[in-house]
Amino acid sequence: MSGRTEGGVQARASQTMLALFLRDIRLSIRAGGGALTGVIFFLAVIATIPFGVGPDLNLLARIGPAILWIAALLACLLGLDRLFQADREDGSLDLLVLGHDRHMLALTVLVKCLAHWGGSVLPLVVAAPLLGLFMNMEPMGIGATALTLLVGTPAITFIGAAGAAVAVALPRGGLLISVLVLPLTIPVLIFGVSASYGAVADPDPFLQPFLILAALTLFLAVLGPVAAALALRHGTD
Amino acid sequence: MRLIAENLGGERGGETVFSGIGFVLEKGEALVVTGPNGAGKSTLLRVIAGLLPVAEGRVRIEGGGEDFPSIASACHYLGHQNAMKTVLSVTENLRFWRDFSGEPLLSVEEALEAVGLGGIGHLPFGYLSTGQRRRASIAKLLVSRRPLWLLDEPTAGLDKASEARFGGVMTDHCRQGGIIIAATHLPLGLDGAKALVMGETV
């Protein structure tokens, strides 16, 4: 194959994927999309914590990063069931799966994950600094937590895609996905929280857990979509 | 280009739905699959498309060249659902499928014109009536080039005039060397189409 046609193929593939990305982003911000659901859930959890824990400002500041991370993790899981189910219900999923011979299904899934992350999870990361103020966190801690969320939450989406693909045919699969996915997200949570603490508590390191978190995201960016594509190809009925 | 099915069998949930289906379709030919409910028409189409595993026998495409090496890459599959998003406008939906499927053929406006929906592209898909949705979904077949059309009840919900127009669209497709397999209860207005009656020989 000559260089020109290969370039043409690549240009076409990137155009295809851009179209898919833009469609999913549009869907998430239009009426009925999940963009705000997660943020509102996130806000509700963080806003109630100070009432439950009590007015101990030092305690709030100390548990702040962990609470932000846990709330963000749960808010991420909330919208995952719609990742493929919406496409399955209207028949689009069949056509996405049939496109496998033109562009790998795993790539399609990766792009859908990125769009889901951009549409539903990125707003959480943006809201996190504001909610950090509720937890009486210091600016350094807020910045570190937002940064670790930015780097770590894609990993949750990638794992979640595999869970969503397995449960795509099940009605009310949302809870099942959460149960399937939650144990796998624990490493992400652990390294995310320890990096956030590392930035404020002096003897603890920041860089090592942060780099492991980044590595987890990169690793799962490959593994998650491949697993999800496999499940989707064998799950059609 | 030709589509060959040999002794094809399909199953759903471990139960054999049909078996021993065989046909050869040359370019320009159409096959109309009829039969009672539950005879396996939809299953047959999904097996041919590759959405369901082949239980026995085989189905393959020959002479598709570099562009269409496999059935999945050579086919448009129009299922019961329209594969369109209700919150996006008709034009947005069609433009997406045009970009995603590759091999662009007609422009979105031309395709809408061809199914008699010119001038409503700006409406959200959810605002359309059942028949209009089906026609918009048929326009999806026209925006990108695929030689093989797999149509599952394509005319469900269409009025007489739209049925006739769709018959013309399918005839044009065959005349340009395309292949059509359609499962239906209703006459499609496809002259010279082969017929396959399911549910009797099984």
Side-chain angles (χ1 to χ4, degrees), chain A residues 148-162:
Chain A
T148 51
L149 281 174
L150 183 71
V151 172
T153 43
I156 299 171
T157 306
F158 295 135
I159 303 172

Side-chain angles (χ1 to χ4, degrees), chain B residues 27-29 168-180 191:
Chain B
K27 63 188 244 184
E29 287 189 325
V169 168
M170 287 193 294
T171 311
D172 283 349
H173 179 65
C174 285
R175 200 172 292 141
Q176 286 156 17
I179 299 175
I180 293 177
D191 297 329

Side-chain angles (χ1 to χ4, degrees), chain B residues 25 117 122 159 163 182:
Chain B
L25 291 175
L117 289 179
H122 61 284
D159 58 29
E163 263 181 47

